[in-house]
Amino acid sequence: MKMMKTPVKIFSLLIILSLTAMLKGQPIEQIGIHADRNKYVAGEDLWFSIYNTDQATGRLTPVSLVAYVELISPWNTPVVQLRIKLNEGKGEGTFPIPDTISSGDYIIRAYTNRMKNNLPDGCTMKTIGIYNPFKALSYLRNVNPSDSSRNFPQRNIHMDYETVSILADTVFGYREKVVVKILAGKAGPVTSRFADMSVSVAPSSVSDSGFEFSGKAGSQISALRNDYESEGHFLTLRIRNEEGGTSGRQNRLFMSVQGKIAGFRYAEKDSSGRYTFIIPVDSRQRTYILQPEVPDNEMRLEIEPSFSLKLPGSVHFKDSLHGRETEIFENLSFNHQVNRIYGITARSEEKTDEPGNILKRRFYGIPEMEIFLDDYIRLPDMTEVFFELVPGIILRKGKNGYEVKITNPLTGTFYEEPPLVMIDGVILNDLNVLVSLDPGLVEKIEVVKTPYLTGDLILHGIVNVITKSGDFSKVTMPDYAAIVPYRTVEPARDFVSPSYNDDHAKSGRKPDLRNTLYWNPSVTTDADGKAEFGFWTPDVPGKYSITVRGISGAGKMISGTKSFIVK
C-alpha cells in the first residue's frame, strides 16, 4: 500500500497544478454591502447597494451579472430571497421586511454564483436588528462565531481604505433643504478621484456604520461546480421519472418562448444529470416552455434552487431589549405606524424592462418562406393548407401518426430526419395538435428549408405556425411539457422623498416622520472627485448622519460620515 501513495500524490498534484493554470487570471470575487440603516421595524422597506470587487485589485469587476441576496432569520432560515442585477459590478435593491417575523438579529448575506463554491463562510454576512411591536415579548439575539460582518477581507485595510470629505451645514430646522457636497481622492490621480458610491441619511442611532465585505477569500480550485454568470443567469433543471429517479432517456432538453417571434435553445445533460440554460438577466416576466427531446408522459421536471442551501451555522438565545435599544425601536415603530396611516411610502413604482416575452428577432432569422393565410381562400383544415399553400412540405398521416416532411432544396429529396415544428414558438412533438388547429386562427406560416445549425444541434428544417393571437392559447399543451414563469432579477425602484420647495408643501399638515431621510445607491463623482446632492429634513428633531460608502477607481474602499442636527 505504501508504494501507491506516491503516484496518487503526484496525480493529485498534477490535477491541482492543471486547474490552477486553467483558472489563473480569473478574479476572486468579494461582495460589499451597504444598507440604509442597521435597525428596522417589521413591515418597513430595506434599501441596499452591492459592490462586487476583484480581491486582487479592489476594483469593481463585471465578471458576474447576478448577485443573490438573502435575509436570514435567527433560526437560520431565509425569510427573503431575491436576485439583483449587477452592472459593471454594482447592484442595488430593496425589499419589504415581512411584518409577521419575530423581533431579533437577522443576517443579510450576498454572494454570486461563483461564490456558492465557498459557502457558507465565503460570502458577506451583515447583521441587522428588526423589531416587531406586535411580537415584542422577546428579542432573539444571534450568536454566530463565523460571522464575517465584523471583518474586512484579508488585505491591508489602511492601504485600501479612503475617507471622503462631506461638506454640509450642521444645524437645520424642520423641512429645510440640506445640500451636501462630496470630495473624493483629493490628492490622487484622476482614476482614483472617480468613485461609485451609495448614500444614506438616517438618525445617527440607527445609521449603518459598517461597510461589510466578505472576510474569507474564495478558493479558485473549488470553483468548478458553480461558474461565473458572465453571459446570463443559469437556469438548471433535472428530469425525474415517476419513481423519483433520474431519467436516462433524455440527452437534451428544449426551451422555447411563446410568441410571434420564436425563441429556441437547448441544453444537454451534463455528467451529474443536470440541464443548464443561460437566460437573459433582466426584470421581464417570461414564460418558458420546457420539453424533452423524446416525448415522455412519465417524466417530471425539477428546477434546482438558484439560492444556496448551505446556510451559516448560528445559534440564538431569547433576550429582551436593553436601555437605549427600547427607545430607538419604539421611535422607529411609531414613525412607521404613522407613515402607514397616512399612506406614506418611499418606494416608487417598479421600473421593469420591456414587458412580456418580447424578443427582438426570430432565433432562425429571416424565414425562407412566409405564407400569410388571409391572402388565400379559406381552407377547411391544416392538411389542406400545407398541401395547397406550402410547396416542398407535406403534412400527412403515417404509420405512427401524423408527420411533416421537408424537401431538401439542395438534393430535391425529403430529409430523413423530421423538422422542428412549432406553433407560436412552442415546439410540437404531437402533430395531432397541428392537424386539429383551426386554419381561421392562423396568421401565417414561416418555413426554413435548409439545415439550421444551433450549437451542436442540426435542425433539418423549421416550420413555425403563428396564430393571430400569438400566445398558443387555442392549443392544448402536452403533459410532458412544463410551463415555467420566471423573472431573473427583481425590478428596480427609486427611493422617493418629499420636497418642500414651495410654501404650500412646507406648511402641509401631513406629518413627515421618515426613518430614512434619503437613500441614493448611485452617486458618482466627476473627474475632479466631486459630487453633490440634496434632501429635506423631517418633522422629527434629533441627530442625523450622512453615510457614504463606495469603491474608488483605484480600488479603495470609500467611507465617510457627516452628522447634523434638526431642531
Side-chain angles (χ1 to χ4, degrees), residues 54 58 99 113 168 178 199 212 216 221 255 260 284 366 380 384 398 424 436 439 449 473 519 549:
D54 181 350
D99 57 9
N113 192 65
V178 180
V199 177
E212 282 72 25
K216 181 178 178 181
I221 298 302
M255 171 189 282
K260 292 192 175 185
R284 300 177 195 168
I366 299 174
E384 288 290 326
D424 292 336
S436 62
K449 288 187 174 182
S473 59
W519 169 256
R549 301 287 185 264

Side-chain angles (χ1 to χ4, degrees), residues 234-381:
F234 297 153
L235 179 62
T236 304
L237 306 100
R238 289 182 182 272
I239 296 180
R240 303 284 188 186
N241 55 36
E242 288 296 328
E243 289 74 30
T246 302
S247 175
R249 296 182 59 195
Q250 310 295 340
N251 291 320
R252 293 190 182 99
L253 190 62
F254 295 151
M255 171 189 282
S256 53
V257 181
Q258 67 183 34
K260 292 192 175 185
I261 300 179
F264 169 80
R265 62 195 70 184
Y266 73 95
E268 294 186 331
K269 182 168 61 177
D270 62 19
S271 58
S272 62
R274 302 184 307 163
Y275 305 82
T276 300
F277 293 95
I278 300 178
I279 62 177
V281 177
D282 56 40
S283 61
R284 300 177 195 168
Q285 180 75 38
R286 289 183 172 87
T287 300
Y288 296 109
I289 311 297
L290 299 168
Q291 301 183 60
E293 182 178 23
V294 180
D296 186 355
N297 287 324
E298 296 183 356
M299 53 146 276
R300 57 187 173 88
L301 288 172
E302 291 182 357
I303 299 178
E304 290 197 347
S306 63
F307 293 90
S308 175
L309 301 179
K310 298 178 181 178
L311 296 167
S314 63
V315 295
H316 69 275
F317 64 94
K318 287 187 178 181
D319 196 9
S320 58
L321 296 176
H322 304 295
R324 177 79 171 132
E325 277 185 322
T326 303
E327 180 184 355
I328 291 172
F329 277 122
E330 286 182 349
N331 288 338
L332 291 175
S333 178
F334 176 81
N335 295 343
H336 174 59
Q337 298 304 323
V338 171
N339 287 336
R340 291 187 64 178
I341 291 172
Y342 284 90
I344 299 171
T345 178
R347 278 195 298 166
S348 70
E349 295 296 322
E350 293 181 352
K351 297 188 298 182
T352 57
D353 298 283
E354 294 179 28
N357 298 323
I358 297 176
L359 297 176
K360 299 296 184 183
R361 59 187 297 273
R362 314 168 182 88
F363 77 92
Y364 47 79
I366 299 174
E368 296 169 10
M369 294 175 58
E370 194 171 21
I371 298 97
F372 289 87
L373 267 63
D374 284 349
D375 293 343
Y376 303 90
I377 61 171
R378 177 77 175 269
L379 295 172
D381 55 57

Side-chain angles (χ1 to χ4, degrees), residues 9-308:
K9 288 182 178 179
I10 293 175
F11 182 68
S12 300
L13 179 60
L14 288 174
I15 291 177
I16 293 174
L17 291 175
S18 299
L19 291 173
T20 303
M22 181 177 67
L23 298 171
K24 186 177 180 181
Q26 295 185 347
I28 297 177
E29 297 171 298
Q30 294 183 139
I31 278 186
I33 302 175
H34 178 208
D36 62 320
R37 306 201 307 267
N38 61 23
K39 290 182 175 63
Y40 299 86
V41 175
E44 281 194 290
D45 293 326
L46 187 152
W47 301 81
F48 63 89
S49 282
I50 296 293
Y51 297 84
N52 190 28
T53 63
D54 181 350
Q55 186 185 24
T57 65
R59 295 186 176 93
L60 294 172
T61 174
V63 70
S64 290
L65 298 179
V66 179
Y68 299 81
V69 180
E70 299 175 286
L71 180 66
I72 301 176
S73 74
W75 294 279
N76 209 33
T77 57
V79 294
V80 174
Q81 293 180 317
L82 63 160
R83 292 180 293 269
I84 297 298
K85 184 176 183 177
L86 295 176
N87 290 303
E88 300 296 321
K90 181 78 180 297
E92 62 190 68
T94 182
F95 60 84
I97 299 172
D99 57 9
T100 57
I101 62 176
S102 300
S103 300
D105 290 337
Y106 287 72
I107 291 174
I108 307 172
R109 76 166 181 169
Y111 51 88
T112 64
N113 192 65
R114 182 77 159 194
M115 293 171 70
K116 293 176 187 176
N117 298 290
N118 301 294
L119 295 180
D121 294 326
C123 72
T124 300
M125 293 180 284
K126 175 184 181 63
T127 301
I128 62 170
I130 298 177
Y131 174 73
N132 191 333
F134 304 105
K135 294 187 177 182
L137 296 178
S138 61
Y139 188 90
L140 300 172
R141 298 203 184 269
N142 204 3
V143 179
N144 183 9
S146 66
D147 186 356
S148 66
S149 65
R150 274 98 175 146
N151 302 307
F152 283 96
Q154 298 172 352
R155 42 184 188 145
N156 191 319
I157 296 174
H158 298 290
M159 290 180 61
D160 297 323
Y161 209 89
E162 179 180 318
T163 301
V164 296
S165 299
I166 303 175
L167 307 176
D169 291 338
T170 56
V171 180
F172 298 88
Y174 298 157
R175 305 191 181 191
E176 286 191 1
K177 181 71 175 288
V178 180
V179 177
V180 182
K181 296 181 180 180
I182 296 177
L183 181 60
K186 298 182 286 187
V190 172
T191 54
S192 68
R193 293 199 294 267
F194 180 81
D196 275 300
M197 301 174 293
S198 48
V199 177
S200 173
V201 182
S204 298
S205 58
V206 298
S207 178
D208 185 23
S209 58
F211 189 21
E212 282 72 25
F213 269 80
S214 50
K216 181 178 178 181
S219 168
Q220 289 199 24
I221 298 302
S222 66
L224 295 178
R225 174 64 172 79
N226 296 287
D227 205 351
Y228 299 114
E229 290 182 311
S230 56
E231 296 181 1
H233 172 56
F234 297 153
L235 179 62
T236 304
L237 306 100
R238 289 182 182 272
I239 296 180
R240 303 284 188 186
N241 55 36
E242 288 296 328
E243 289 74 30
T246 302
S247 175
R249 296 182 59 195
Q250 310 295 340
N251 291 320
R252 293 190 182 99
L253 190 62
F254 295 151
M255 171 189 282
S256 53
V257 181
Q258 67 183 34
K260 292 192 175 185
I261 300 179
F264 169 80
R265 62 195 70 184
Y266 73 95
E268 294 186 331
K269 182 168 61 177
D270 62 19
S271 58
S272 62
R274 302 184 307 163
Y275 305 82
T276 300
F277 293 95
I278 300 178
I279 62 177
V281 177
D282 56 40
S283 61
R284 300 177 195 168
Q285 180 75 38
R286 289 183 172 87
T287 300
Y288 296 109
I289 311 297
L290 299 168
Q291 301 183 60
E293 182 178 23
V294 180
D296 186 355
N297 287 324
E298 296 183 356
M299 53 146 276
R300 57 187 173 88
L301 288 172
E302 291 182 357
I303 299 178
E304 290 197 347
S306 63
F307 293 90
S308 175

